Amino acid sequence: MNLLLLNITARILLLAALLAILTSKLWPQASEEDSETEFSGKGKVKGKVVDVVTRQALPGVNISLEGTSVGTAADADGNYEITNIAAGRITLRASIVGYKTIIKPDIIINSTRPAVVDFELQEAELELQTVLIRADYFQKDPSSAVSVTAFSFEEIRRAPGGLEDVVRALSTLPGIAQADAGRNDLVVRGGAPSENLYIVDGIPVANINHFGGQGSTGGPLSYIDLNFVKDVTFSTGGFPVMYGDKTSSVLSIGLSEGRRDRIGGKATISATQFGLNAEGPVSKDLNFLFSARRSYLDFIFKAAGFGFVPEYYDVLSKVKYDVNSRNSLSFLFIGAFDNVRFFNNTADQRYSNSRTMGNDQTQYVSAISFRHLFRSGFYNLSASRNFTDYRFQQRDTLQNPIFLNNSREQENNFQADVVLKISENTEVSSGASLKMIKFSTDVILPYFRTTFGDVLNVNSLNKKTTFSKYSLYTNYHNRQIAWLGINAGLRMDYFNGINDPLTFSPRGSLSIYAGEKTEINLSAGVYFQSPSYIWLAGSDENRNLKSIKSVQYIAGVERRLREDTKLRVEAFYKSYSNYPASTLRTYLVLSNTGAGFGGSEDNFSAFALEALVSEGFGDVKGLEVQVQKKSSDIPLYGIFSLTYSQAYFTALDGVRRPGSYDQRFIMNISAGYIFSNQWEASMKFRLSTGNPYTPFNPDGSQKVSLYNSERLPVVHSLDVRVDRRWNFEDWSLVTFLDVQNVYNRKKRGIPRWDERKGAIESERSIGILPSIGITAEF
């Protein structure tokens, strides 16, 4: 392992040195006085302005460049364009009487392509102009009162240690625990990694990660190409009834549209992969985008003599057709193709591989969507398909199977949503969905004794079945009283895979506007999540499982410290019930599973191939503080977050234990400074309490009485990043150097038992890890 890490680090440092040489060769005469000329040229910005509720065009909206007298007004269709802008970074302001003024910073202007910036304006109360028509860097969906943070493309792209991964970039937010340093499993406010909902361009996606866990939502790296991400909204709780069948969080990723001026593209090399993409117009009303990426870790792993080599590919394609000003069609396809190759040439490789569960995986989502705008609102119709083919395997040193699992999950989803503005201060959202599911699994788990002494014996589990899910929701939002926002909704879900198929989820929130800069937000709601398909396969008794239930209460205060700075303090409480618990392993509740790569060292817990009952329960409570500053006239940006929480769960043995992802204290500081149009530097510091774990006995076994009784040491690390931009006449270049874990503090992992040595093995994560990224756009 040490040889591998040295090999990887040496190669990355070599690339970084080559990058530095390239920089100096391109501009050998650059100095402080003429550095700005390196980013010369002109560009333009354009976009569309619409009402946030009805999506109707807003003509006459004033669009201006902050700090200048340059600007324009949106035309009759809500479109605007500002030309002849000096290349660099700008901030845009959108304002019109009767609507809240919005400010959008970090807009990159270059001569390669037009910047596209759309605005969704929220209607304001004229009676309280000083309160509601202030300039705002922080936009919020009127139906989501609590626990929501929005990011632009640029904020996600430049996140230190983020590997240009949408999910990893969220780690600085409050309430987000890190389950495994090598993965991006989302552990939100004490919930399991299976409790998160992903939405991509309005389409639900089962898992957006390569090498994803079955029944879970995490993985090592997202397969969404960041180059085509327009914006990201993340809700860590209290989300409205439009979102269902998950209990912890909603991550909504909006994708950009293809260029409308000409065909263009990008070539990218990042920390783990390289790729090409293309985009442009087919006709005046039809545009496309396409990307294809491949990992290069397999080349490095193989050259270093590692026993297993992961490799992956992904593709993304989107086509948008504007039928007319009121109707549009879009098509989306995202695919990921993963496999692991094992090399068993030496005894060390065979032993190491016998402890590793491989996952050859194929997954894709395809969708077609139609949107129609009418006078007081709009409706969306969509048909989508999620497909995942899992091929898990783990073999002993003689290549005999320890575990084989070939599973296929297919979901065909039909969805309709409508938003209707019934008065100046009131809107109603309603929707329905039908999901048709095919599930098959073929599992072999010969006699396996867990480290706790339980025996799992699945000689042959072969099942094929079909399910269906239905849902209905309606949500009411009212601002009749100027200082009060009311949001109330009801959701119904039906899943015929279990014998208690029907659930109802009431949810509501209040927003009290207490003065010019302060909001008090309250939220309460019921959330249900149906059992994972693989959990239902372990035993015929598992059809008696119920949907997991979570009742959530959130109270918070938001305070604008400056136009560009927001303070948020929230307290939350989550009460879980109906959580699946094992009747064989009476200490096991499935809230403690789903993170990591799983396999024998996890006692195959996440698959739950045994009889289960819905008698697990638990609770999570906590307090969060977040300060977020956007880039503005002060070119400093960042997020500070602090979380204190406690998560406890109880299985069939009746013992109340800390959850496996219970990190009591979590502190994050992420900040950056923009020195010029060319240079930018940022850092991220994270400190948290270690996760609970179960210690080993001297003979390699574990005691149930000590389950999650010990805790890993405090974890802390510092990541730094430097970005450099160039602008040429026909193309542009962005490079970065990212160094994770700068002071080389290796995080201690959960101890493992080494059978060959008959001793406990203390795993540690990778230490300092530099990486570079290069993106050329043409």
Side-chain angles (χ1 to χ4, degrees), residues 179 187 190-195 216 452 535 548 576 579-581 585-596 598 602 604-607 616-620 647-653 655-662 691-694 707-708 750:
V187 177
S194 60
E195 299 177 21
S216 188
F452 293 93
W535 297 353
I548 301 165
Y576 284 96
Y579 230 112
R585 297 181 268 186
T586 57
Y587 53 89
L588 178 64
V589 59
L590 296 190
S591 58
N592 290 328
T593 69
D602 182 51
F604 302 103
S605 298
F607 295 102
F617 59 92
D619 60 87
V620 186
Y648 287 94
F649 288 92
T650 303
L652 285 185
D653 61 4
V655 179
R656 176 176 162 88
R657 301 182 177 92
S660 293
Y661 314 117
D662 174 43
N691 288 332
Y693 73 96
T694 307
Y707 188 87
N708 278 356
I750 293 177

Short mmCIF file of all heavy atoms in Angstrom, two decimals, residues 179 187 190-195 216 452 535 548 576 579-581 585-596 598 602 604-607 616-620 647-653 655-662 691-694 707-708 750:
data_model
loop_
_atom_site.label_atom_id
_atom_site.label_comp_id
_atom_site.label_asym_id
_atom_site.label_seq_id
_atom_site.Cartn_x
_atom_site.Cartn_y
_atom_site.Cartn_z
N ALA A 179 -18.58 9.13 6.67
CA ALA A 179 -18.53 7.74 7.10
C ALA A 179 -17.22 7.07 6.73
O ALA A 179 -16.70 6.24 7.48
CB ALA A 179 -19.70 6.97 6.49
N VAL A 187 -24.17 11.05 5.06
CA VAL A 187 -24.76 10.73 6.36
C VAL A 187 -25.28 12.05 6.91
O VAL A 187 -24.52 12.90 7.37
CB VAL A 187 -23.72 10.10 7.31
CG1 VAL A 187 -24.35 9.84 8.67
CG2 VAL A 187 -23.18 8.81 6.72
N GLY A 190 -27.48 12.14 11.22
CA GLY A 190 -27.56 10.84 11.87
C GLY A 190 -28.25 9.76 11.08
O GLY A 190 -28.31 8.61 11.51
N GLY A 191 -28.80 10.08 9.91
CA GLY A 191 -29.49 9.09 9.10
C GLY A 191 -28.53 8.20 8.34
O GLY A 191 -27.37 8.54 8.12
N ALA A 192 -29.01 7.05 7.91
CA ALA A 192 -28.19 6.11 7.15
C ALA A 192 -27.96 6.61 5.73
O ALA A 192 -28.74 7.43 5.22
CB ALA A 192 -28.86 4.74 7.12
N PRO A 193 -26.92 6.13 5.04
CA PRO A 193 -26.67 6.54 3.65
C PRO A 193 -27.79 6.15 2.69
O PRO A 193 -27.83 6.67 1.57
CB PRO A 193 -25.37 5.81 3.30
CG PRO A 193 -24.69 5.58 4.59
CD PRO A 193 -25.80 5.32 5.57
N SER A 194 -28.67 5.25 3.08
CA SER A 194 -29.78 4.86 2.21
C SER A 194 -30.93 5.85 2.23
O SER A 194 -31.89 5.70 1.48
CB SER A 194 -30.32 3.48 2.65
OG SER A 194 -30.78 3.54 3.99
N GLU A 195 -30.85 6.89 3.05
CA GLU A 195 -31.99 7.78 3.29
C GLU A 195 -31.98 9.05 2.45
O GLU A 195 -32.74 9.99 2.74
CB GLU A 195 -32.07 8.15 4.77
CG GLU A 195 -32.26 6.97 5.70
CD GLU A 195 -32.27 7.37 7.17
OE1 GLU A 195 -32.52 8.56 7.46
OE2 GLU A 195 -32.01 6.51 8.02
N SER A 216 -28.38 1.46 -1.11
CA SER A 216 -27.83 2.66 -0.50
C SER A 216 -27.68 3.73 -1.57
O SER A 216 -28.07 3.54 -2.72
CB SER A 216 -26.48 2.35 0.16
OG SER A 216 -26.01 3.44 0.90
N PHE A 452 -19.37 -11.97 15.19
CA PHE A 452 -20.14 -12.05 16.44
C PHE A 452 -20.62 -13.47 16.72
O PHE A 452 -21.31 -13.70 17.71
CB PHE A 452 -21.35 -11.09 16.37
CG PHE A 452 -20.98 -9.64 16.34
CD1 PHE A 452 -20.84 -8.97 15.13
CD2 PHE A 452 -20.75 -8.94 17.51
CE1 PHE A 452 -20.50 -7.63 15.09
CE2 PHE A 452 -20.41 -7.59 17.49
CZ PHE A 452 -20.27 -6.94 16.27
N TRP A 535 -33.62 -6.03 0.75
CA TRP A 535 -34.05 -6.40 2.10
C TRP A 535 -35.27 -7.31 2.06
O TRP A 535 -35.44 -8.16 2.94
CB TRP A 535 -34.37 -5.17 2.93
CG TRP A 535 -33.20 -4.26 3.17
CD1 TRP A 535 -31.89 -4.49 2.85
CD2 TRP A 535 -33.24 -2.97 3.77
NE1 TRP A 535 -31.11 -3.42 3.21
CE2 TRP A 535 -31.90 -2.47 3.79
CE3 TRP A 535 -34.25 -2.18 4.30
CZ2 TRP A 535 -31.59 -1.21 4.32
CZ3 TRP A 535 -33.94 -0.93 4.83
CH2 TRP A 535 -32.61 -0.47 4.83
N ILE A 548 -40.14 2.64 6.79
CA ILE A 548 -39.43 3.35 7.85
C ILE A 548 -40.11 4.70 8.07
O ILE A 548 -40.44 5.41 7.11
CB ILE A 548 -37.96 3.55 7.47
CG1 ILE A 548 -37.28 2.20 7.23
CG2 ILE A 548 -37.21 4.34 8.54
CD1 ILE A 548 -35.94 2.33 6.52
N TYR A 576 -37.17 8.07 14.86
CA TYR A 576 -37.31 6.96 13.91
C TYR A 576 -38.11 5.82 14.54
O TYR A 576 -37.94 5.50 15.72
CB TYR A 576 -35.94 6.42 13.52
CG TYR A 576 -35.15 7.26 12.55
CD1 TYR A 576 -34.19 8.16 12.99
CD2 TYR A 576 -35.35 7.14 11.17
CE1 TYR A 576 -33.44 8.91 12.10
CE2 TYR A 576 -34.62 7.89 10.27
CZ TYR A 576 -33.66 8.78 10.74
OH TYR A 576 -32.93 9.52 9.85
N TYR A 579 -37.90 0.78 11.86
CA TYR A 579 -36.65 0.48 11.16
C TYR A 579 -36.43 -1.04 11.15
O TYR A 579 -36.57 -1.70 12.16
CB TYR A 579 -35.45 1.16 11.84
CG TYR A 579 -34.60 1.92 10.84
CD1 TYR A 579 -34.51 3.30 10.85
CD2 TYR A 579 -33.90 1.23 9.84
CE1 TYR A 579 -33.74 3.98 9.91
CE2 TYR A 579 -33.14 1.90 8.91
CZ TYR A 579 -33.07 3.28 8.94
OH TYR A 579 -32.32 3.96 8.00
N PRO A 580 -36.10 -1.62 9.97
CA PRO A 580 -35.86 -3.07 9.91
C PRO A 580 -34.74 -3.49 10.86
O PRO A 580 -33.66 -2.88 10.90
CB PRO A 580 -35.47 -3.29 8.45
CG PRO A 580 -36.12 -2.18 7.71
CD PRO A 580 -36.04 -1.00 8.63
N ALA A 581 -35.00 -4.55 11.60
CA ALA A 581 -34.03 -5.11 12.54
C ALA A 581 -33.97 -6.61 12.32
O ALA A 581 -34.97 -7.26 11.99
CB ALA A 581 -34.42 -4.79 13.98
N ARG A 585 -29.56 -11.57 14.15
CA ARG A 585 -28.56 -10.74 14.83
C ARG A 585 -29.32 -9.66 15.60
O ARG A 585 -29.58 -8.57 15.08
CB ARG A 585 -27.61 -10.13 13.80
CG ARG A 585 -26.80 -11.17 13.05
CD ARG A 585 -25.85 -10.54 12.05
NE ARG A 585 -26.43 -10.40 10.73
CZ ARG A 585 -25.75 -9.97 9.65
NH1 ARG A 585 -24.47 -9.64 9.78
NH2 ARG A 585 -26.32 -9.88 8.48
N THR A 586 -29.69 -9.97 16.81
CA THR A 586 -30.63 -9.12 17.54
C THR A 586 -30.04 -7.77 17.94
O THR A 586 -30.76 -6.92 18.48
CB THR A 586 -31.12 -9.85 18.81
OG1 THR A 586 -29.99 -10.20 19.62
CG2 THR A 586 -31.89 -11.11 18.44
N TYR A 587 -28.77 -7.56 17.69
CA TYR A 587 -28.12 -6.27 17.96
C TYR A 587 -28.12 -5.37 16.72
O TYR A 587 -27.72 -4.20 16.79
CB TYR A 587 -26.66 -6.52 18.37
CG TYR A 587 -25.91 -7.37 17.37
CD1 TYR A 587 -25.24 -6.80 16.29
CD2 TYR A 587 -25.91 -8.76 17.49
CE1 TYR A 587 -24.60 -7.59 15.36
CE2 TYR A 587 -25.25 -9.56 16.56
CZ TYR A 587 -24.61 -8.97 15.50
OH TYR A 587 -23.97 -9.75 14.56
N LEU A 588 -28.55 -5.91 15.57
CA LEU A 588 -28.40 -5.21 14.29
C LEU A 588 -29.69 -4.53 13.87
O LEU A 588 -30.72 -5.18 13.67
CB LEU A 588 -27.95 -6.19 13.20
CG LEU A 588 -27.81 -5.60 11.79
CD1 LEU A 588 -26.71 -4.54 11.75
CD2 LEU A 588 -27.52 -6.71 10.77
N VAL A 589 -29.63 -3.21 13.70
CA VAL A 589 -30.69 -2.44 13.08
C VAL A 589 -30.09 -1.81 11.83
O VAL A 589 -28.94 -1.37 11.83
CB VAL A 589 -31.27 -1.38 14.05
CG1 VAL A 589 -30.19 -0.41 14.53
CG2 VAL A 589 -32.41 -0.62 13.41
N LEU A 590 -30.82 -1.80 10.74
CA LEU A 590 -30.24 -1.45 9.44
C LEU A 590 -29.92 0.03 9.29
O LEU A 590 -29.35 0.43 8.28
CB LEU A 590 -31.14 -1.94 8.31
CG LEU A 590 -31.31 -3.46 8.23
CD1 LEU A 590 -32.01 -3.86 6.94
CD2 LEU A 590 -29.97 -4.18 8.35
N SER A 591 -30.27 0.84 10.27
CA SER A 591 -29.83 2.23 10.27
C SER A 591 -28.31 2.33 10.41
O SER A 591 -27.72 3.37 10.10
CB SER A 591 -30.48 2.99 11.42
OG SER A 591 -30.17 2.38 12.66
N ASN A 592 -27.67 1.25 10.87
CA ASN A 592 -26.21 1.23 11.06
C ASN A 592 -25.47 0.62 9.87
O ASN A 592 -24.31 0.25 10.00
CB ASN A 592 -25.87 0.45 12.34
CG ASN A 592 -26.28 1.19 13.58
OD1 ASN A 592 -26.28 2.42 13.62
ND2 ASN A 592 -26.66 0.46 14.62
N THR A 593 -26.11 0.51 8.74
CA THR A 593 -25.49 -0.11 7.57
C THR A 593 -25.57 0.82 6.36
O THR A 593 -26.28 1.82 6.38
CB THR A 593 -26.18 -1.44 7.21
OG1 THR A 593 -27.51 -1.16 6.72
CG2 THR A 593 -26.28 -2.35 8.42
N GLY A 594 -24.84 0.46 5.30
CA GLY A 594 -24.97 1.16 4.02
C GLY A 594 -23.78 1.97 3.59
O GLY A 594 -23.68 2.35 2.42
N ALA A 595 -22.85 2.26 4.52
CA ALA A 595 -21.66 3.02 4.14
C ALA A 595 -20.50 2.06 3.88
O ALA A 595 -20.50 0.91 4.31
CB ALA A 595 -21.29 4.02 5.24
N GLY A 596 -19.49 2.56 3.18
CA GLY A 596 -18.32 1.74 2.91
C GLY A 596 -18.55 0.73 1.80
O GLY A 596 -19.61 0.69 1.18
N GLY A 598 -18.45 -2.61 2.17
CA GLY A 598 -19.16 -3.80 2.62
C GLY A 598 -18.34 -5.07 2.44
O GLY A 598 -17.12 -5.06 2.30
N ASP A 602 -17.73 -6.49 6.88
CA ASP A 602 -18.94 -5.84 7.37
C ASP A 602 -19.99 -6.88 7.74
O ASP A 602 -21.13 -6.54 8.05
CB ASP A 602 -19.48 -4.90 6.28
CG ASP A 602 -20.71 -4.13 6.69
OD1 ASP A 602 -20.70 -3.50 7.76
OD2 ASP A 602 -21.71 -4.19 5.95
N PHE A 604 -21.55 -8.65 5.83
CA PHE A 604 -22.62 -8.56 4.82
C PHE A 604 -23.90 -7.97 5.41
O PHE A 604 -25.01 -8.31 4.99
CB PHE A 604 -22.90 -9.93 4.19
CG PHE A 604 -21.69 -10.55 3.54
CD1 PHE A 604 -20.98 -11.57 4.17
CD2 PHE A 604 -21.24 -10.09 2.32
CE1 PHE A 604 -19.85 -12.12 3.58
CE2 PHE A 604 -20.11 -10.63 1.72
CZ PHE A 604 -19.40 -11.65 2.35
N SER A 605 -23.74 -7.05 6.33
CA SER A 605 -24.90 -6.51 7.06
C SER A 605 -25.83 -5.70 6.16
O SER A 605 -27.05 -5.74 6.33
CB SER A 605 -24.41 -5.63 8.22
OG SER A 605 -23.65 -6.37 9.14
N ALA A 606 -25.26 -4.92 5.22
CA ALA A 606 -26.09 -4.03 4.41
C ALA A 606 -27.07 -4.79 3.53
O ALA A 606 -28.13 -4.25 3.17
CB ALA A 606 -25.20 -3.14 3.55
N PHE A 607 -26.75 -6.05 3.15
CA PHE A 607 -27.66 -6.81 2.29
C PHE A 607 -28.83 -7.39 3.07
O PHE A 607 -29.88 -7.67 2.49
CB PHE A 607 -26.89 -7.94 1.60
CG PHE A 607 -25.84 -7.45 0.65
CD1 PHE A 607 -24.50 -7.46 1.01
CD2 PHE A 607 -26.18 -6.97 -0.60
CE1 PHE A 607 -23.52 -7.02 0.15
CE2 PHE A 607 -25.21 -6.53 -1.49
CZ PHE A 607 -23.87 -6.54 -1.11
N GLY A 616 -37.05 -1.87 14.93
CA GLY A 616 -35.95 -1.00 15.30
C GLY A 616 -36.44 0.44 15.44
O GLY A 616 -37.36 0.86 14.73
N PHE A 617 -35.82 1.19 16.33
CA PHE A 617 -36.23 2.59 16.50
C PHE A 617 -35.02 3.39 16.99
O PHE A 617 -34.00 2.83 17.40
CB PHE A 617 -37.40 2.72 17.47
CG PHE A 617 -37.14 2.18 18.86
CD1 PHE A 617 -36.66 3.00 19.87
CD2 PHE A 617 -37.37 0.83 19.15
CE1 PHE A 617 -36.43 2.50 21.14
CE2 PHE A 617 -37.13 0.33 20.43
CZ PHE A 617 -36.66 1.17 21.43
N GLY A 618 -35.16 4.70 16.94
CA GLY A 618 -34.05 5.55 17.35
C GLY A 618 -34.43 7.01 17.33
O GLY A 618 -35.57 7.38 16.98
N ASP A 619 -33.48 7.84 17.70
CA ASP A 619 -33.72 9.28 17.67
C ASP A 619 -32.40 10.01 17.47
O ASP A 619 -31.33 9.52 17.84
CB ASP A 619 -34.40 9.77 18.96
CG ASP A 619 -33.57 9.49 20.20
OD1 ASP A 619 -32.72 10.32 20.54
OD2 ASP A 619 -33.78 8.43 20.83
N VAL A 620 -32.50 11.16 16.82
CA VAL A 620 -31.34 12.02 16.57
C VAL A 620 -31.74 13.44 16.95
O VAL A 620 -32.82 13.91 16.57
CB VAL A 620 -30.90 11.99 15.09
CG1 VAL A 620 -29.61 12.77 14.90
CG2 VAL A 620 -30.74 10.57 14.59
N ALA A 647 -26.98 10.58 18.03
CA ALA A 647 -27.82 9.61 17.32
C ALA A 647 -27.77 8.28 18.05
O ALA A 647 -26.69 7.71 18.25
CB ALA A 647 -27.34 9.45 15.88
N TYR A 648 -28.94 7.78 18.44
CA TYR A 648 -29.04 6.49 19.13
C TYR A 648 -30.08 5.63 18.41
O TYR A 648 -31.13 6.14 17.97
CB TYR A 648 -29.47 6.68 20.59
CG TYR A 648 -28.40 7.23 21.48
CD1 TYR A 648 -28.30 8.59 21.72
CD2 TYR A 648 -27.48 6.38 22.10
CE1 TYR A 648 -27.31 9.11 22.55
CE2 TYR A 648 -26.49 6.89 22.93
CZ TYR A 648 -26.41 8.25 23.16
OH TYR A 648 -25.43 8.75 23.98
N PHE A 649 -29.80 4.32 18.34
CA PHE A 649 -30.74 3.38 17.75
C PHE A 649 -30.81 2.13 18.61
O PHE A 649 -29.83 1.75 19.29
CB PHE A 649 -30.33 3.02 16.32
CG PHE A 649 -30.53 4.14 15.34
CD1 PHE A 649 -29.51 5.04 15.07
CD2 PHE A 649 -31.75 4.30 14.71
CE1 PHE A 649 -29.69 6.08 14.19
CE2 PHE A 649 -31.95 5.35 13.82
CZ PHE A 649 -30.92 6.24 13.56
N THR A 650 -31.97 1.47 18.56
CA THR A 650 -32.22 0.28 19.37
C THR A 650 -32.71 -0.85 18.47
O THR A 650 -33.65 -0.66 17.69
CB THR A 650 -33.27 0.56 20.46
OG1 THR A 650 -32.82 1.66 21.26
CG2 THR A 650 -33.49 -0.65 21.33
N ALA A 651 -32.07 -2.01 18.59
CA ALA A 651 -32.46 -3.20 17.82
C ALA A 651 -33.33 -4.10 18.70
O ALA A 651 -33.85 -3.69 19.74
CB ALA A 651 -31.22 -3.93 17.31
N LEU A 652 -33.48 -5.38 18.30
CA LEU A 652 -34.41 -6.28 19.00
C LEU A 652 -33.95 -6.62 20.41
O LEU A 652 -34.77 -6.99 21.26
CB LEU A 652 -34.59 -7.57 18.21
CG LEU A 652 -35.46 -7.49 16.95
CD1 LEU A 652 -35.63 -8.87 16.35
CD2 LEU A 652 -36.81 -6.88 17.27
N ASP A 653 -32.64 -6.48 20.69
CA ASP A 653 -32.19 -6.82 22.05
C ASP A 653 -32.52 -5.73 23.07
O ASP A 653 -32.25 -5.88 24.26
CB ASP A 653 -30.69 -7.13 22.06
CG ASP A 653 -29.84 -5.96 21.61
OD1 ASP A 653 -30.38 -4.86 21.37
OD2 ASP A 653 -28.61 -6.13 21.51
N VAL A 655 -31.24 -2.80 23.56
CA VAL A 655 -30.14 -1.97 24.07
C VAL A 655 -30.04 -0.70 23.21
O VAL A 655 -29.94 -0.77 21.99
CB VAL A 655 -28.81 -2.74 24.02
CG1 VAL A 655 -27.67 -1.85 24.53
CG2 VAL A 655 -28.91 -4.01 24.85
N ARG A 656 -30.06 0.43 23.88
CA ARG A 656 -29.93 1.73 23.19
C ARG A 656 -28.44 2.02 23.00
O ARG A 656 -27.68 2.15 23.95
CB ARG A 656 -30.59 2.81 24.05
CG ARG A 656 -30.47 4.23 23.53
CD ARG A 656 -31.26 5.16 24.47
NE ARG A 656 -30.88 6.55 24.33
CZ ARG A 656 -31.42 7.39 23.46
NH1 ARG A 656 -32.37 6.97 22.63
NH2 ARG A 656 -31.04 8.67 23.43
N ARG A 657 -28.02 2.10 21.72
CA ARG A 657 -26.61 2.27 21.39
C ARG A 657 -26.42 3.47 20.47
O ARG A 657 -27.31 3.83 19.70
CB ARG A 657 -26.06 1.03 20.68
CG ARG A 657 -26.16 -0.27 21.46
CD ARG A 657 -25.54 -1.40 20.65
NE ARG A 657 -25.51 -2.68 21.35
CZ ARG A 657 -26.47 -3.59 21.26
NH1 ARG A 657 -27.52 -3.38 20.48
NH2 ARG A 657 -26.36 -4.73 21.94
N PRO A 658 -25.21 4.07 20.52
CA PRO A 658 -24.91 5.12 19.53
C PRO A 658 -24.98 4.56 18.11
O PRO A 658 -24.57 3.42 17.86
CB PRO A 658 -23.47 5.55 19.88
CG PRO A 658 -23.26 5.08 21.28
CD PRO A 658 -24.09 3.84 21.45
N GLY A 659 -25.53 5.33 17.17
CA GLY A 659 -25.55 4.92 15.78
C GLY A 659 -24.14 4.83 15.22
O GLY A 659 -23.21 5.50 15.69
N SER A 660 -23.96 4.01 14.22
CA SER A 660 -22.62 3.80 13.64
C SER A 660 -22.05 5.07 13.01
O SER A 660 -20.85 5.17 12.80
CB SER A 660 -22.66 2.68 12.61
OG SER A 660 -22.95 1.44 13.21
N TYR A 661 -22.91 6.04 12.70
CA TYR A 661 -22.45 7.28 12.07
C TYR A 661 -22.60 8.47 13.01
O TYR A 661 -22.69 9.62 12.57
CB TYR A 661 -23.22 7.51 10.77
CG TYR A 661 -23.32 6.27 9.92
CD1 TYR A 661 -24.55 5.68 9.64
CD2 TYR A 661 -22.17 5.65 9.43
CE1 TYR A 661 -24.63 4.52 8.88
CE2 TYR A 661 -22.24 4.50 8.67
CZ TYR A 661 -23.47 3.93 8.40
OH TYR A 661 -23.55 2.78 7.65
N ASP A 662 -22.61 8.19 14.30
CA ASP A 662 -22.81 9.23 15.31
C ASP A 662 -21.51 9.99 15.56
O ASP A 662 -20.67 9.56 16.34
CB ASP A 662 -23.32 8.58 16.61
CG ASP A 662 -23.42 9.58 17.75
OD1 ASP A 662 -23.90 10.69 17.50
OD2 ASP A 662 -23.00 9.24 18.88
N ASN A 691 -16.08 8.08 14.65
CA ASN A 691 -17.26 7.21 14.64
C ASN A 691 -17.16 6.13 15.72
O ASN A 691 -16.07 5.68 16.07
CB ASN A 691 -17.40 6.52 13.28
CG ASN A 691 -17.84 7.47 12.19
OD1 ASN A 691 -18.50 8.46 12.46
ND2 ASN A 691 -17.46 7.18 10.97
N PRO A 692 -18.31 5.65 16.19
CA PRO A 692 -18.30 4.48 17.08
C PRO A 692 -17.89 3.22 16.32
O PRO A 692 -18.08 3.12 15.11
CB PRO A 692 -19.76 4.38 17.55
CG PRO A 692 -20.37 5.70 17.26
CD PRO A 692 -19.65 6.22 16.06
N TYR A 693 -17.32 2.24 17.05
CA TYR A 693 -16.99 0.96 16.44
C TYR A 693 -16.98 -0.11 17.52
O TYR A 693 -16.99 0.18 18.72
CB TYR A 693 -15.65 1.01 15.70
CG TYR A 693 -14.43 1.05 16.59
CD1 TYR A 693 -13.74 -0.13 16.90
CD2 TYR A 693 -13.96 2.24 17.12
CE1 TYR A 693 -12.62 -0.11 17.72
CE2 TYR A 693 -12.84 2.28 17.93
CZ TYR A 693 -12.17 1.09 18.23
OH TYR A 693 -11.07 1.12 19.04
N THR A 694 -16.94 -1.36 17.07
CA THR A 694 -16.91 -2.51 17.98
C THR A 694 -15.50 -3.08 18.03
O THR A 694 -14.96 -3.46 16.98
CB THR A 694 -17.90 -3.59 17.51
OG1 THR A 694 -19.19 -3.00 17.33
CG2 THR A 694 -17.98 -4.72 18.53
N TYR A 707 -20.83 -3.81 21.24
CA TYR A 707 -21.22 -3.27 19.93
C TYR A 707 -21.27 -1.73 19.99
O TYR A 707 -21.97 -1.14 20.82
CB TYR A 707 -22.58 -3.83 19.52
CG TYR A 707 -23.01 -3.49 18.11
CD1 TYR A 707 -22.62 -4.28 17.03
CD2 TYR A 707 -23.80 -2.38 17.85
CE1 TYR A 707 -23.02 -3.99 15.73
CE2 TYR A 707 -24.21 -2.08 16.56
CZ TYR A 707 -23.81 -2.88 15.51
OH TYR A 707 -24.21 -2.58 14.22
N ASN A 708 -20.49 -1.10 19.13
CA ASN A 708 -20.40 0.37 19.06
C ASN A 708 -20.06 1.01 20.40
O ASN A 708 -20.50 2.11 20.72
CB ASN A 708 -21.70 0.97 18.51
CG ASN A 708 -21.77 0.92 16.99
OD1 ASN A 708 -20.82 0.50 16.34
ND2 ASN A 708 -22.89 1.31 16.43
N ILE A 750 -11.63 2.06 11.01
CA ILE A 750 -12.12 1.03 11.92
C ILE A 750 -11.17 -0.16 11.89
O ILE A 750 -10.78 -0.63 10.81
CB ILE A 750 -13.54 0.60 11.52
CG1 ILE A 750 -14.51 1.77 11.74
CG2 ILE A 750 -13.99 -0.62 12.31
CD1 ILE A 750 -15.92 1.50 11.31
#
